[in-house]
Amino acid sequence: MRLLDRLLRSTVARLVVERIEEERLDALYRYRVHSDPARLRIHPTAVVNNAIFNTGGGHITVGEYVFFGHNVCVLAGVHEVDKFGLDRQRAIPRSGYDIEIGEGAWLATNVMVAGPVKIGAHAVVGGGSVVRKDVEPYAVVAGNPARLIRYLTPPDAHQE
């Protein structure tokens, strides 16, 4: 009986550890949407991880092969700063803050994007950056606010 008891305890312990690990990984790769999920379009090839999308003030589009690091915030929602108290909490523009993230763009860990803004195809946004202005295709930007670091050479530019 002792052997059976130890085997049962070992099996239960293993199952509990596996479930905890599953939940931890699930949280790392599940994004959240605040406001209207119908205003969010994520291409099926995009890797989004545990991002937060706020669609309160516009639509958000994430293109093909976009890659997000962890804890990326994409905010198309704002509050009117000239209001106070309850009025500020309720004063949310419902349009005009659209965000588009182009094909192949990479937003590293802890990036915050505040609309309206367009991030061009294959652009790279460095970790911890705050994007408040458009980013050109193939640009590498970083900082708060995000500033141009350099441009990447498109793959087809090498074939001449």
Side-chain angles (χ1 to χ4, degrees):
M1 188 68 169
R2 293 180 83 196
L3 178 61
L4 184 58
D5 189 42
R6 282 193 311 226
L7 183 59
L8 182 60
R9 285 183 182 174
S10 171
T11 301
V12 169
R14 188 182 80 251
L15 291 172
V16 167
V17 167
E18 286 175 4
R19 180 65 187 148
I20 290 170
E21 183 67 13
E22 246 178 55
E23 288 176 9
R24 186 182 71 78
L25 288 174
D26 190 39
L28 280 174
Y29 298 104
R30 183 177 6 150
Y31 61 84
R32 294 172 301 202
V33 180
H34 176 74
S35 202
D36 185 359
R39 296 174 123 195
L40 174 63
R41 296 278 184 252
I42 300 174
H43 194 276
T45 60
V47 175
V48 175
N49 292 320
N50 60 329
I52 296 173
F53 295 96
N54 182 330
T55 61
H59 291 82
I60 299 173
T61 304
V62 178
E64 290 182 278
Y65 303 105
V66 169
F67 177 71
F68 282 27
H70 293 283
N71 303 315
V72 172
C73 295
V74 183
L75 309 174
V78 298
H79 294 265
E80 293 182 19
V81 297
D82 294 330
K83 306 282 183 178
F84 300 95
L86 182 60
D87 289 338
R88 182 181 289 164
Q89 288 178 338
R90 292 182 176 169
I92 305 167
R94 296 295 175 197
S95 64
Y97 290 87
D98 294 348
I99 297 172
E100 183 180 327
I101 303 171
E103 174 188 351
W106 173 22
L107 283 63
T109 296
N110 292 321
V111 164
M112 185 179 87
V113 178
V117 73
K118 186 182 263 188
I119 297 175
H122 309 289
V124 176
V125 180
S129 297
V130 177
V131 178
R132 297 271 324 188
K133 295 182 179 178
D134 289 353
V135 176
E136 295 181 59
Y138 296 97
V140 177
V141 300
N144 179 7
R147 291 183 175 89
L148 179 66
I149 304 298
R150 69 184 182 104
Y151 288 98
L152 302 171
T153 304
D156 56 352
H158 295 289
Q159 301 171 357
E160 291 185 20

